[in-house]
Amino acid sequence: IPQMTREDFRQAIEGPVAVGGGSISPFLVQQLLNDIGDNPDQLPILQHALMRTWDYWVKSGNTEAPINLRDYENIGKLEKALSEHANEAYNELTQQQKDICQIIFKTLTEKGNDNRGVRRPTAISEITNIALCDKQDIIEVVENFRKPSRSFLTPGVGIKLDENTIVDISHESLMRIWDKLIIWVSEEY
C-alpha cells in the first residue's frame, strides 16, 4: 500500500470541505498538515477532527468566513477531538449506563504485548453475560456510541442489534486517544 503524501493529506482536508460548500483557511490547512505529519494512521483521527471542526463552524453561525484555527482549537485539535467526542457520548449516559459502558469497552479491548490496545470483537450475548444485565441495556449503550455522528462502535447504524450481533470498536485510534478507555484498559490489564 503506497504511503500518503503531504499532497494526499491536503486533498483529504480540502476536498470534503469544498464538497460541503465551505472553505478553510490556508493557515488551518497548514496546521492540520503539521499536526498529522506523515503518519497514515492519523487519517481517521484527521477525518474525525475535521467533522467536529465543521460542526463547530456551522454552529458558530459564521459560515461566510472560512473554517479557521479558532474553530479547530475549540474542538480540542487533533489530539483531543476524538477523546472529547467520546466523553460527550459517555456523559449522555445514566450512571447505570456508564457502568455498562465501561464493561463494554473493557470487553472490546485488550492490552497487547506492546502495551497498546487490541480490538476484541464480541457478541452482545457475551457482553450481557459479563455485565450481568439485560441485552437491551447493552444495546442502548452501543446505540449511543454508534450514532452516525459518532461511529465509535460497529456494526453501522443500518444493522439491527440482537444477542448475536458482534460489536467492535470502529478504529484502533479510539483505544490510543480516548482518555477513559486508556484508563479502563490499564485497570482491566
Side-chain angles (χ1 to χ4, degrees):
I1 299 173
Q3 185 90 357
M4 285 186 73
T5 66
R6 193 167 175 89
E7 189 54 37
D8 293 334
F9 279 119
R10 180 183 306 282
Q11 289 175 6
I13 294 166
E14 294 174 343
V17 172
V19 167
S23 62
I24 186 168
S25 78
F27 185 73
L28 177 54
V29 172
Q30 194 61 44
Q31 183 64 54
L32 288 164
L33 290 170
N34 290 342
D35 287 354
I36 58 174
D38 60 359
N39 184 350
D41 288 343
Q42 293 282 69
L43 187 58
I45 299 165
L46 170 66
Q47 290 169 328
H48 194 88
L50 279 172
M51 178 193 70
R52 297 277 290 166
T53 303
W54 175 275
D55 290 347
Y56 182 88
W57 174 71
V58 168
K59 286 178 188 167
S60 76
N62 190 19
T63 56
E64 297 301 314
I67 300 169
N68 62 45
L69 188 59
R70 190 170 347 121
D71 299 316
Y72 175 60
E73 289 171 342
N74 281 320
I75 59 97
K77 299 170 67 175
L78 210 56
E79 65 269 9
K80 291 184 182 168
L82 192 64
S83 185
E84 289 181 9
H85 197 195
N87 283 334
E88 285 176 19
Y90 178 80
N91 290 334
E92 290 174 2
L93 303 173
T94 66
Q95 186 55 53
Q96 179 187 1
Q97 289 173 323
K98 287 178 180 177
D99 296 341
I100 291 169
C101 177
Q102 183 173 344
I103 292 167
I104 290 170
F105 279 95
K106 281 181 175 181
T107 302
L108 297 176
T109 311
E110 292 180 335
K111 200 169 213 177
N113 294 339
D114 59 356
N115 250 1
R116 292 176 66 159
V118 177
R119 290 169 30 189
R120 184 179 172 270
T122 307
I124 287 179
S125 59
E126 185 178 339
I127 299 170
T128 300
N129 290 336
I130 293 167
L132 301 174
C133 66
D134 186 72
K135 75 173 180 179
Q136 193 56 41
D137 295 331
I138 301 295
I139 289 172
E140 287 174 9
V141 174
V142 170
E143 290 288 5
N144 195 48
F145 280 86
R146 74 176 195 142
K147 289 179 179 178
S149 62
R150 295 185 177 138
S151 303
F152 293 127
L153 295 175
T154 63
V157 170
I159 297 170
K160 184 173 175 4
L161 302 179
D162 63 33
E163 63 276 351
N164 299 314
T165 305
I166 303 295
V167 178
D168 193 9
I169 293 174
S170 59
H171 199 275
E172 288 88 1
S173 56
L174 187 64
M175 295 182 290
R176 290 192 310 270
I177 294 176
W178 187 17
D179 55 1
K180 285 183 182 9
L181 186 52
I182 292 167
I183 292 167
W184 294 339
V185 170
S186 291
E187 287 174 357
E188 191 69 6
Y189 185 72

